[in-house]
C-alpha cells in the first residue's frame, strides 16, 4: 500500500514536469514559478494517490479534500493572472489580456494532471490486485504504466498549435513615404523623427504573416487583437527590442493587409537576424480567445 502511494506521487510529479517543460517553452517564466509548480504537483499527486484507498476504507471526507485542492488550483490561476497583469507596465512589449488569461488558465489546468495521473496509478493498482488477482509486483507495474501512459497522453493533448501551423511567415520590406512607416506598402504609423526612421532602416526587420490555403478561419485567428499582441510579445521575449520606455515610435504594431487578409509587422530586435525573427513568430502559440472568428466564412477562400 505504501509503495503504490509513493509511486503514485512520483508519477504525478513526473506528469507535471513533462507538461511544465511545454509551458516554459511557450510561456517564458521565472525559476520561482518552477518551485511553486513542483510544490503544487506534490500536493495534487498525494491527494490523487490517496483517494482510492480512502474510498475503499469508506472515508468519504477525502472527497472534501479533493474539492479543496481544486479550489486551491483555481486560486493559483487568479494569482497568476494578477501577477502578470501587475507586471504589464514594466514590459516594453505588453502581453495583452488574452495572452495573460491563456497563461493563467494553463497553469490551473496543468495542475489537475497530477491528481488524475496519481489517481489512475492507484486505481489500476487496486483493480489489478483485488479484481484480477495479480500479485503485488505486477499490480504496481500495471499502475505505474497506466499513470505514465496518461501523462504522455496529456503531454500530447496540451501541446498547442502555433502560428506556423496556420500561416506562412515571410520576410517583408520596410520603407517610408515621407513620415509614414510602411511594410509591403501597408501603412503602419507616422514616424516624424529622422533618427527614428534611420533606426528602422538600419536595424529594423519586418515579416508578413499570410494565412495558409487562403482560409478565412486562419485569417480570423491571426487578425484577432489578442493574437496580434501575443505575437509581438513572443518576439520581444525571444529577440529583445531596441527601445526604451520613452520611445513610442518603436512599439511593434501589426497591421492588416486588406489585399490578402494577412498581417505585416515591423520590429527592431537587439540582434538583426530575420531567421530568428521568423522562427519566433512561427512558434507563437495560438490563444483560445482568438479562435472562432470568421467562422461564417469557412466555405469561402480569400481572393488575392
Amino acid at each position: 500500500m505504501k509503495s503504490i502511494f509513493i509511486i503514485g506521487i512520483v508519477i504525478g510529479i513526473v506528469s507535471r514536469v513533462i507538461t511544465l517543460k511545454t509551458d516554459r517553452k511557450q510561456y517564458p517564466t521565472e525559476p520561482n514559478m518552477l518551485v511553486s509548480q513542483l510544490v503544487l504537483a506534490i500536493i495534487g499527486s498525494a491527494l490523487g494517490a490517496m483517494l482510492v484507498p480512502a474510498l475503499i476504507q469508506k472515508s468519504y471526507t477525502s472527497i472534501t479534500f479533493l474539492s479543496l485542492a481544486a479550489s486551491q488550483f483555481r486560486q493559483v490561476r487568479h494569482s497568476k493572472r494578477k501577477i502578470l497583469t501587475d507586471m504589464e507596465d514594466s514590459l516594453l512589449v505588453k502581453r495583452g489580456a488574452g495572452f495573460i488569461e491563456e497563461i493563467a488558465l494553463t497553469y490551473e489546468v496543468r495542475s489537475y494532471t497530477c491528481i488524475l495521473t496519481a489517481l489512475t496509478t492507484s486505481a489500476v493498482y487496486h483493480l489489478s490486485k483485488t479484481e484480477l488477482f495479480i500479485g503485488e509486483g505486477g499490480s504496481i507495474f500495471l499502475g505505474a504504466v497506466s499513470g505514465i501512459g496518461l501523462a504522455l497522453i496529456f503531454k500530447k493533448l496540451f501541446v498547442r498549435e502555433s502560428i506556423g501551423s496556420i500561416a506562412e511567415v515571410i520576410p517583408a520590406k520596410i520603407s517610408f513615404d515621407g513620415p509614414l512607416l510602411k511594410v509591403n506598402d501597408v501603412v503602419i504609423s507616422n514616424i516624424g523623427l529622422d533618427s527614428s526612421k534611420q533606426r528602422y532602416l538600419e536595424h529594423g526587420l519586418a515579416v508578413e504573416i499570410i494565412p495558409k490555403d487562403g482560409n478565412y478561419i486562419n485569417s480570423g485567428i491571426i487578425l484577432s487583437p489578442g493574437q496580434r499582441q501575443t505575437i509581438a510579445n513572443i518576439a520581444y521575449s525571444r529577440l529583445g527590442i531596441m527601445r526604451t520606455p520613452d520611445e513610442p515610435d518603436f512599439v511593434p504594431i501589426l497591421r492588416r493587409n486588406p489585399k490578402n487578409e494577412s498581417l505585416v509587422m515591423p520590429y527592431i530586435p537587439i540582434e538583426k537576424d530575420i531567421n530568428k525573427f521568423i522562427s519566433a513568430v512561427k512558434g507563437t502559440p495560438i490563444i483560445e480567445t482568438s479562435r472562432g472568428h470568421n467562422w461564417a466564412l469557412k466555405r469561402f477562400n480569400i481572393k488575392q
Side-chain angles (χ1 to χ4, degrees), residues 74-111:
R74 285 195 296 271
Q75 187 59 41
V76 169
R77 174 183 176 181
H78 298 319
S79 298
K80 185 65 176 176
R81 183 195 299 119
K82 185 178 187 305
I83 290 170
L84 294 176
T85 301
D86 291 343
M87 289 173 59
E88 281 287 82
D89 291 337
S90 67
L91 298 178
L92 293 176
V93 180
K94 299 183 185 301
R95 290 187 177 91
F99 195 22
I100 287 176
E101 187 61 31
E102 186 81 0
I103 297 172
L105 178 60
T106 294
Y107 274 94
E108 177 188 359
V109 173
R110 296 292 198 271
S111 298

Side-chain angles (χ1 to χ4, degrees), residues 6-199:
I6 295 173
I7 291 173
I9 293 177
V10 170
I11 291 178
I13 295 172
V14 169
S15 71
R16 185 64 187 102
V17 170
I18 290 174
T19 56
L20 187 62
K21 182 178 179 181
T22 301
D23 293 344
R24 290 175 64 82
K25 180 180 178 182
Q26 296 178 337
Y27 311 134
T29 183
E30 61 281 352
N32 292 341
M33 184 56 66
L34 176 62
V35 175
S36 68
Q37 288 296 303
L38 290 178
V39 171
L40 289 173
I42 294 172
I43 296 172
S45 302
L47 288 171
M50 66 171 281
L51 183 60
V52 173
L55 291 176
I56 292 175
Q57 298 296 325
K58 297 183 179 180
S59 177
Y60 299 112
T61 55
S62 58
I63 299 177
T64 302
F65 286 109
L66 196 63
S67 64
L68 288 174
S71 177
Q72 181 60 40
F73 291 150
R74 285 195 296 271
Q75 187 59 41
V76 169
R77 174 183 176 181
H78 298 319
S79 298
K80 185 65 176 176
R81 183 195 299 119
K82 185 178 187 305
I83 290 170
L84 294 176
T85 301
D86 291 343
M87 289 173 59
E88 281 287 82
D89 291 337
S90 67
L91 298 178
L92 293 176
V93 180
K94 299 183 185 301
R95 290 187 177 91
F99 195 22
I100 287 176
E101 187 61 31
E102 186 81 0
I103 297 172
L105 178 60
T106 294
Y107 274 94
E108 177 188 359
V109 173
R110 296 292 198 271
S111 298
Y112 296 136
T113 63
C114 309
I115 297 178
L116 294 175
T117 51
L119 174 62
T120 299
T121 301
S122 180
V124 171
Y125 164 81
H126 286 285
L127 286 174
S128 300
K129 192 171 182 180
T130 60
E131 301 296 330
L132 302 178
F133 305 105
I134 299 174
E136 179 77 10
S139 298
I140 290 176
F141 175 77
L142 289 176
V145 169
S146 300
I148 292 174
L150 183 60
L152 294 175
I153 291 173
F154 280 137
K155 179 183 178 181
K156 185 173 182 180
L157 291 176
F158 289 157
V159 174
R160 299 184 183 279
E161 277 190 296
S162 62
I163 292 298
S165 64
I166 65 165
E168 299 289 346
V169 182
I170 61 174
K173 181 182 178 181
I174 294 176
S175 62
F176 282 91
D177 182 2
L180 299 179
L181 169 63
K182 302 174 73 175
V183 174
N184 286 2
D185 296 326
V186 177
V187 176
I188 304 298
S189 62
N190 190 315
I191 306 294
L193 295 176
D194 290 336
S195 59
S196 297
K197 296 179 184 179
Q198 194 65 25
R199 190 185 302 184

